[in-house]
Structures are given as C-alpha cells and as structure tokens.
Amino acid sequence: MEKLLEPLIESEAFQGLLARSGARVGRADPAGHAYVAAGIAAATESPALLLAPGPKEAERLAGGAAAFVGADRVALFPAWEALPVEGISPAPEIAARRAAAAHRARATSGAFVLVAPIVAALQRLVPTLGAQPPLAVEPGTELPPDRLADALVERGYVRADLVTHRGEFAVRGGIVDVFPGTASRPVRLDFFGDDVERIREFSAASQTSTRTVERAEIHPVRELLPSHDVRELAGAAIARHKGTLRDALERLSEGLVFEGMERIAPLVFEEMPVLADLLPSDAWVTISSVRRTLDRAAAAVVEADALAGETELRGAMRDPDAALGGRPRLDLTEFAEGADLGIRAWTHVAGRGEETAAAAASLASRGFRVGVTAAARGSLERSLEVLGRAGLAAPDVAAEAELFEGFVFEPGRVAVVGEDDLFGRRRVTHDAPRVTGRTAAAFAQELAPGDFAVHRVHGVGRYLGMVHRAVAGSERDYLLLEYAAGDRLYVPADQVDVVAKYIGGQEPRLHRLGSADWPRATARVRRAVRDMAGELVRLYTARMAVPGHAFGPDTPWQRELEDAFPHQETRDQLVVAQEVKRDMELPKAMDRLICGDVGYGKTEIAVRAAFKAVADGKQVAVLVPTTLLAEQHHVTFSE
C-alpha cells in the first residue's frame, strides 16, 4: 500500500500543511487519519508520533498506519490501565509492550510511526524505559541457566513452580520455562551445558510443547526495577519524605518489588521524559480527532492531580502543551475547520457490500487507483470476489492489513476499500483484546453488599457496596472492601478488574491489609495444585497410549469459515481454538474441556472443530442437555 502515499504527499493541501509554521489543522475523515500520519513519516523520512483519544482508537490507527509503511515501521505504545498516582502497577503484558515500543522508538530512524493513546503521551516515564535492547535468546546462545535466571529477575520476572502467566519463569535442571511479556505463548529453553540447544513454545494450560521457534525476545515486565542505581536514588530520597511515600521509598531502597511501586518514580528520578522525548526533537506529532483527544487529555491531568492531592506526586501527568511543545504538530479533525485534505469516508451505509463495490468500480473506471485491504486471507478473497462481481476485476493493490475502514482521496484519485466497508464493522479491535473490561455497574450486579470478594493484591475482603467520594476536588465512584481489624480499601470504579467475587465452597477468613496472609494462602494453593498436577500427569500418561484418529491440516474452507465469524474473538478463544485443532491432528484420543461463561464463545470453538471433522470425512454429533439448546445449536450450526 506504500505507493498509495505518493498522491497524498504530492497534493497541494498536504504540502501546504507541511510548509506552514505555527498551528496546523487539517480536515479529514477519521478513516484517513492513519493515512495522513503515514504520509508525514514518509514525506519527512523520520519518526512521527500519532496520538489517539483512547486505546481502541490507537489500535485501529496502528493497524492502518502499518498498511502504508509496513508493520516493522509502526509501534503501538499502550497506556497503563490506571493513572500513575493510583498505586496500581501495570500488567506484565502492558509493561513489556511499552518497553518494546519505547526501544523501537529510540532505535529506529527513517520513516516510523509511534502510535499511542493521549494518556500514554502525557505520563512521565522512567528514564531507562526502552533504553536497553531485549534479552534475545536463540539456539546456540551461550547463557547458563543460572545467569539466565538472574537476567530474568533483573527484568522483573518472578520465579514460579509452573509457568502459566506472563512475567513468570521456572528452572528445572537443564530446562528453563519463561513467559515473555510480549509473547502469546510461553517458551521452553532446552540447554546442553551452558548453550541453548532448542526453543519450543508450549501451552500454559497443558504444559505440552506445540512448536519449535528460532528466537525468543524477552522485554522487562516492570517499568521501575530495583537496580543498584535505583536503590541508591531511593535511599537518598527517603529523608525528604514521610508517611506512605517514605515507606515505599524504604522498600524500594531495600530492593523489594511491590504492587504500585511505579507511582514513586517521580520521587526517585529528578528528570523524567515523556513519550515525545523518545523521538528526535523535530519529529512531527499528529493528533487524531483532536477535540475528543484533547478533552480526554485535560480530564486525565485534572483527575491525576486531584488524586495526588498536595503530595509530591502532583505533576505525574503533564499537560499536552508541555508534553508536545516545540515539535511540528498537525491536528486532524472531522469538523468543518482547518485546511481540507480532501479525504472522505465512503458515503453509503457501511456493510452494504454491493454499493461499496459498485462505487469502487466506478472510481476505478475514472482512473482512480484502488486499494483493497482485509485482516485475513479468507476475508481478502471474499472482498475481491464482491468487487469482481461489481466489475472491478483487478484492483491496483490488494493487501492483508488491519486497515478496516477505507476512504476516498479525491485530489489524489485514490480509493481504499476495507473489509468493514464491504461487510460491516464486525469487530471492535482485531488485536489481541484484553480479557477484562467489566464496567463498575456490571460488577456491582455480580456482588451484593456483604458478599466476599478477592482483590488481586490484598486478598479476601467483604464487599460493602459502591460509594461516591470527593478527593481533592475530583469526584468518582469506588468499590468499598472491608478487611480484618476494620481496615477498608477503596478501589476506583474503573479498576474493578483487580477484584473478583469469592467463589470458594466455604466462608473464608478476612485477610489483613498489608500482612502476609494473602501470599501465604496463595502459596498453599500453589502447593496443592502442584500435587494435583502430579496425579494428573500419571493419569494422562496412561491415556496417551490410547490410539485415535489424526485429522488432516486445515483446508482453505476451514480458514474461510473462521474468517467469516461475525463476532470479536477473545484471546482465550483464539488460543483454545488452535489448541483444539492441534489436538485433533494428533494420532491419539482427544480429551478437552472448554469452560467459559454464557455468551463467551464456546459454541464458536465447537463449530470450528465440527467443521474440521466434517472436512476430513467424519460425522459429528452435538449433544446438549435440553431441547431448547438443541434448537438453538441447530440454528447456529446451520448458519
């Protein structure tokens, strides 16, 4: 798709914006904002920063920019799940993705697009973020297991008996398991002496190897790491503070790792950069949907300062002018203001494939260059079929890319058709989505006051209900949890995913805040799970000897079926669907239980497996407990 940038770069309106000094406002439909940002990076042959209102918009913009400059020239820098003053550490996956994007931003020259939600661009960063390359391990790498373990601990990884989550590792003689923060699966490193002999991905659920890989990249899973220098800086800062901040600095100076430690980074470092500082001083900044983005920025700054109160944590979020000042900037808007770049969305209703195809064919007959994009091969082939029936047999460009909504660039005689233009918006995001995302209202419906709840960090407490509090002039809702000795914990309503309903079989004992009760309880569970795992290993060793039918690899029809599913797949769905099909291809009896709440997509996995069996000449029986479910499944499978 890169050649479609040339008409934009050469257009009069675009050149006028590049040459103008001071405030620059460009008018374009949001579907073309990634196109414009990619054009700026290509025209200036230098890195550029593209900012979005929120995380979902940032993901879509990153996919769109990658369609034009290539995935290796685009990085997505995610925001924390909480504001930096709230004392909640970023998840290992978020921390690792931020470290990877920051490193690429520091190391890349030439055309490059760094995409981020605006909140991530305002947050002050630890100066060392992304400064070091990832720990790269390949077959033949000389790295003794004990040295590798030390290197993992230095990067924030936690030693475990069994690796099941990102940020964990385990050492068993000449084998080291590790779940890199940016990986979709953990990897198993087989050593021969001090050399890595082989690297295999494995399933976190079954602990069985799935495929051999040639390289593993391991990024830090914490942003504030207690290195020798950091411990010394924290120790020097202790005398200047008191209360909980002093306690946190003392713990950091002792080399301890604890939840929410990142919030005291401004007390440790005198100078902390923001995201734009990772790029050259003349790098362009493009703000998508500028009104909404800047409104979100202003609200985040006010809320963060209100939560920080009069403590030294104020200023953890910088205002946009301070965070972006001094750099050439283009504000993109869909409203009637600024220089018109001539980029319009398709005027018909999205998803009316025949209308879109007919309009694209008409533009092609008038000399427009037409590009077609879809996220997967099956979707791209269907898109080309629809366009072919409308008379557009051979578009100028057809690419597998995550640019879902296209546009018409009249001045440059360019038209881009995305799969959502033909088939409707079927997904919110095509990237690996978060498994969480409950609203506070939905969570409140799961619990009644008096129910027991489990906090990810603090353990079992009693849920007392939702409360509304004003903190330093900022009002928000909180979940109120009561712990032993009358301790109370207020959990911000937008952070309910750190809390879950207690579903144990007996009434639990409340834990004490700040005590070792919860770590001891989780350690006992880990030991019990390890004992149970030993029994399961013995059982399934016997079952492995039972022969079964080995189904063939996926057919093109299988891929087309899976591409056609209308709903957004969760990360668990994608992983389990692949594991089920991989099990079917083995010459042994499959024994797998898929567990999930109502409406979370278990049937879609069953449809995939059933189709794979039918494609291999087998018959399939679907057994359900009631007649009503049988009727519903008959409709679903027929569809």
Side-chain angles (χ1 to χ4, degrees):
M1 302 282 287
E2 186 175 2
K3 63 182 181 181
L4 297 184
L5 289 175
E6 295 176 6
L8 172 66
I9 295 173
E10 295 171 357
S11 67
E12 182 178 348
F14 185 84
Q15 287 293 328
L17 286 174
L18 290 184
R20 186 179 304 167
S21 59
R24 304 172 181 86
V25 179
R27 186 163 78 252
D29 187 84
H33 288 184
Y35 179 58
V36 175
I40 288 176
T44 60
E45 296 185 353
S46 64
L49 179 60
L50 173 57
L51 301 178
K56 292 179 181 178
E57 295 89 343
E59 289 178 0
R60 291 182 74 90
L61 287 170
F68 295 103
V69 297
D72 60 330
R73 289 284 172 179
V74 175
L76 175 61
F77 187 88
W80 283 7
E81 301 97 319
L83 292 173
V85 297
E86 291 187 278
I88 299 177
S89 295
E93 176 189 2
I94 296 297
R97 289 173 59 195
R98 284 164 60 93
H103 175 67
R104 291 184 60 193
R106 291 177 183 270
T108 302
S109 59
F112 174 77
V113 182
L114 180 62
V115 187
I118 186 64
V119 172
L122 305 183
Q123 180 181 342
R124 296 165 66 191
L125 306 176
V126 172
T128 55
L129 183 65
Q132 298 297 324
L135 176 62
V137 183
E138 301 174 341
T141 299
E142 183 180 352
L143 185 63
D146 56 344
R147 280 178 46 202
L148 174 59
D150 291 342
L152 292 172
V153 171
E154 290 173 359
R155 287 163 173 78
Y157 287 75
V158 177
R159 194 160 186 159
D161 296 321
L162 205 65
V163 172
T164 57
H165 299 95
R166 290 180 179 85
E168 295 179 339
F169 76 97
V171 181
R172 296 186 300 278
I175 296 177
V176 177
D177 291 347
V178 59
F179 203 150
T182 57
S184 57
R185 282 177 176 267
V187 292
R188 180 161 292 151
L189 311 179
D190 294 330
F191 283 81
F192 183 77
D194 291 343
D195 296 338
V196 177
E197 185 176 31
R198 181 173 55 167
I199 305 177
R200 294 171 291 163
E201 283 187 349
F202 67 92
S203 166
S206 66
Q207 297 291 302
T208 57
S209 300
T210 56
R211 68 184 184 100
T212 300
V213 296
E214 295 301 320
R215 180 182 173 89
E217 284 195 354
I218 303 172
H219 290 273
V221 291
R222 278 196 174 270
E223 294 191 17
L224 182 60
L225 297 166
S227 63
H228 175 73
D229 292 342
V230 169
R231 293 199 303 271
E232 286 195 344
L233 290 172
I238 291 175
R240 300 194 297 268
H241 303 282
K242 58 185 178 179
T244 58
L245 296 180
R246 182 189 180 95
D247 294 341
L249 287 168
E250 288 177 345
R251 297 171 72 184
L252 181 59
S253 69
E254 295 168 2
L256 299 179
V257 174
F258 51 94
E259 177 70 14
M261 60 190 292
E262 292 80 5
R263 77 175 186 139
I264 63 170
L267 312 182
V268 177
F269 301 100
E270 291 185 5
E271 297 292 335
M272 294 182 67
V274 290
L275 186 60
D277 294 333
L278 305 185
L279 301 177
S281 59
D282 59 348
W284 276 70
V285 176
T286 303
I287 303 181
S288 174
S289 301
V290 63
R291 289 189 186 180
R292 192 154 55 97
T293 300
L294 293 182
D295 286 347
R296 176 69 185 98
V301 172
V302 170
E303 185 176 9
D305 284 346
L307 290 171
E310 298 304 320
T311 69
E312 295 87 339
L313 299 180
R314 286 183 68 89
M317 304 280 288
R318 301 181 67 181
D319 66 79
D321 289 337
L324 308 174
R327 291 173 174 80
R329 178 174 133 186
L330 173 60
D331 295 345
L332 290 177
T333 178
E334 56 271 39
F335 301 109
E337 54 183 317
D340 187 4
L341 291 170
I343 298 175
R344 305 281 187 268
W346 292 97
T347 55
H348 54 270
V349 178
R352 300 282 289 272
E354 293 78 9
E355 292 183 18
T356 306
S362 174
L363 291 175
S365 68
R366 293 164 46 196
F368 276 65
R369 283 185 277 187
V370 178
V372 182
T373 63
R377 183 172 60 182
S379 299
L380 184 59
E381 291 175 352
R382 286 198 307 279
S383 299
L384 294 175
E385 288 176 5
V386 172
L387 291 168
R389 289 197 298 269
L392 180 57
D396 295 89
V397 182
E400 289 184 36
E402 296 189 354
L403 176 67
F404 304 110
E405 292 179 304
F407 53 86
V408 177
F409 177 39
E410 185 81 31
R413 304 181 71 77
V414 168
V416 176
V417 181
E419 62 176 293
D420 286 0
D421 298 314
L422 294 172
F423 308 116
R425 179 175 291 193
R426 297 175 294 154
R427 302 168 180 150
V428 176
T429 172
H430 296 249
D431 198 6
R434 295 180 185 173
V435 186
T436 58
R438 295 174 297 171
T439 63
F443 182 82
Q445 292 178 357
E446 298 174 13
L447 284 172
D451 287 348
F452 293 103
V454 182
H455 190 281
R456 187 179 70 190
V457 176
H458 303 292
V460 178
R462 191 187 305 275
Y463 174 65
L464 299 183
M466 296 284 295
V467 297
H468 192 77
R469 299 183 73 199
V471 180
S474 176
E475 296 186 3
R476 65 192 307 187
D477 292 325
Y478 293 84
L479 275 69
L480 177 57
L481 301 180
E482 183 181 47
Y483 285 82
D487 291 340
R488 292 191 168 192
L489 178 69
Y490 293 89
V491 181
D494 55 356
Q495 300 302 322
V496 296
D497 291 318
V498 301
V499 181
K501 183 177 181 179
Y502 176 80
I503 56 174
Q506 58 188 4
E507 184 170 309
R509 178 176 62 87
L510 298 182
H511 293 140
R512 289 182 62 91
L513 285 179
S515 70
D517 290 352
W518 180 239
R520 280 198 296 265
T522 54
R524 286 196 300 271
V525 172
R526 288 192 184 97
R527 287 194 295 270
V529 170
R530 187 168 61 248
D531 294 341
M532 182 187 297
E535 294 296 327
L536 288 173
V537 167
R538 286 187 284 276
L539 170 65
Y540 277 83
T541 299
R543 292 182 63 89
M544 292 283 284
V546 178
H549 176 75
F551 289 87
D554 285 358
T555 64
W557 287 346
Q558 180 84 28
R559 289 191 291 271
E560 185 169 342
L561 169 84
E562 296 183 5
D563 287 343
F565 274 100
H567 303 296
Q568 170 192 356
E569 295 91 347
T570 68
R571 180 190 298 111
D572 289 343
Q573 268 188 300
L574 295 172
V575 169
V576 172
Q578 292 301 320
E579 290 177 346
V580 167
K581 293 191 296 181
R582 194 176 295 113
D583 280 358
M584 294 176 67
E585 294 173 8
L586 298 176
K588 60 181 181 182
M590 182 172 75
D591 182 14
R592 181 175 284 273
L593 172 69
I594 309 300
C595 179
D597 287 340
V598 173
Y600 274 66
K602 300 184 296 295
T603 304
E604 290 194 14
I605 297 170
V607 172
R608 287 166 162 85
F611 192 90
K612 187 176 182 68
V614 170
D616 213 49
K618 297 291 182 179
Q619 294 182 339
V620 176
V622 181
L623 306 182
V624 295
T626 66
T627 301
L628 178 61
L629 278 177
E631 293 173 348
Q632 291 176 350
H633 279 64
H634 178 261
V635 172
T636 300
F637 276 76
S638 300
E639 204 175 288

